[in-house]
Amino acid sequence: MNLIDTHCHLTFEPLADDVPGVLERSRQAGVTAWITVGTSLADSRKAVELAGRHENLYASVGIHPHDAKDADGAAMAELKEIARGDRVMAIGETGLDFHYNFSKQPDQKRVFVAHLEMAKELALPVIVHSRNAFEETLEILDRHGDGLKGVVFHCFGGSAEQARQLLDRGYYVSFTGVVTFKNAQTAREAAAAVPMGRLMVETDCPYMSPEPVRSRKPNEPALMVHTARFLAELKGLSIDEFAAQSTQTAVRFFRLPL
Ligand code: NI
């Protein structure tokens, strides 16, 4: 079995202290490739460096909506330089977070659009973070998304109806361990509505360990097998079939040279 953790933060503490150990445990569990996702200029730089040091580890670069207030023109220009690295497979995470509003909404929107323009210019897919802002996120994508290579909504927690709106636009949907939580019936209905050709799996670690290891901290890529098993059962597939199909989707979406 060769699963791909399509969204992890291996630059974050405490995972960053022992990346070789984290990757080895992950391989043992059957999660054998990873995309570590940048959330700021400094973190994106770290993600690219880390990806360069480990086989099957790739990077995405972006400035999280939480930090949009810091993303001026100079920062975005520097991000674009980092994004040209050969281990960089996507732009993000970027998007809108109107739950926390750590940055003002106009700043978040401006920086999201700047990421989309960069993704088009560099012909890279986009990893979208959207929280309490589904309509506004779609509005911006509908206005600025033409010509994008691919769009994935990560850590999807919306409804089946919202998932269908993404599928109608040709977008992809990615699920974390949240889908295994007892109170996550809505996310499960969404996962059921997304065909395997558009579905990806992720940890978003170090956060949110899946059931039945939810109390384990930190979350790490090895634990993604629980989410994969859960989704396989939901889809009526064996874990091996689920792994083969979700990995094929991720390889195609991120154009991973695996
Ligand atoms: Ni994340």
Side-chain angles (χ1 to χ4, degrees):
M1 175 165 85
N2 291 297
L3 287 158
I4 300 177
D5 185 349
T6 61
H7 189 121
C8 54
H9 299 285
L10 301 184
T11 57
F12 287 14
E13 301 293 331
L15 301 176
D17 296 335
D18 180 26
V19 172
V22 167
L23 296 185
E24 187 46 37
R25 286 192 292 281
S26 182
R27 278 186 208 101
Q28 299 286 342
V31 182
T32 57
W34 313 267
I35 295 173
T36 191
V37 176
T39 56
S40 68
L41 195 52
D43 185 52
S44 293
R45 207 177 280 122
K46 281 189 212 167
V48 174
E49 281 167 13
L50 193 63
R53 290 203 293 272
H54 298 278
E55 202 183 347
N56 287 1
L57 175 59
Y58 300 93
S60 177
V61 303
I63 299 175
H64 196 283
H66 289 342
D67 292 323
K69 56 184 174 307
D70 303 323
D72 57 13
M76 292 307 291
E78 207 169 325
L79 189 72
K80 196 195 286 182
E81 283 315 303
I82 300 171
R84 294 185 196 277
D86 61 356
R87 306 290 283 192
V88 177
M89 308 319 280
I91 297 297
E93 52 189 288
T94 180
L96 302 175
D97 194 313
F98 293 176
H99 177 76
Y100 288 109
N101 283 313
F102 288 157
S103 289
K104 291 198 179 74
Q105 295 186 1
D107 279 336
Q108 294 190 39
K109 289 182 176 178
R110 169 181 59 77
V111 173
F112 183 28
V113 171
H115 279 79
L116 297 180
E117 298 303 336
M118 184 184 304
K120 281 188 255 184
E121 191 181 332
L122 300 179
L124 290 169
V126 182
I127 298 174
V128 174
H129 170 109
S130 178
R131 188 146 183 215
N132 274 17
F134 186 77
E135 297 303 328
E136 293 89 342
T137 305
L138 272 192
E139 215 173 277
I140 287 179
L141 281 164
D142 285 346
R143 215 154 357 110
H144 299 274
D146 266 2
L148 283 171
K149 284 289 171 192
V151 175
V152 60
F153 272 56
H154 109 93
C155 193
F156 190 70
S159 65
E161 170 50 31
Q162 289 176 331
R164 276 184 214 105
Q165 293 184 53
L166 301 182
L167 296 171
D168 285 347
R169 289 166 169 81
Y171 299 164
Y172 290 64
V173 188
S174 179
F175 295 92
T176 61
V178 167
V179 77
T180 68
F181 294 175
K182 281 187 183 61
N183 62 358
Q185 187 54 32
T186 304
R188 277 189 285 282
E189 286 166 14
V194 178
M196 286 303 295
R198 299 283 193 84
L199 180 146
M200 292 191 274
V201 201
E202 58 171 295
T203 54
D204 206 13
C205 63
Y207 313 116
M208 294 181 303
S209 299
E211 293 289 2
V213 292
R214 190 171 172 180
S215 58
R216 283 265 291 273
K217 284 193 174 89
N219 188 14
E220 60 176 61
L223 302 182
M224 203 187 79
V225 291
H226 297 287
T227 309
R229 284 212 183 86
F230 185 93
L231 286 168
E233 196 171 325
L234 187 80
K235 292 290 187 189
L237 297 171
S238 72
I239 182 64
D240 288 331
E241 282 171 76
F242 177 86
Q245 291 185 35
S246 64
T247 291
Q248 190 183 36
T249 301
V251 166
R252 204 180 54 228
F253 180 84
F254 289 106
R255 288 183 288 174
L256 299 178
L258 291 177

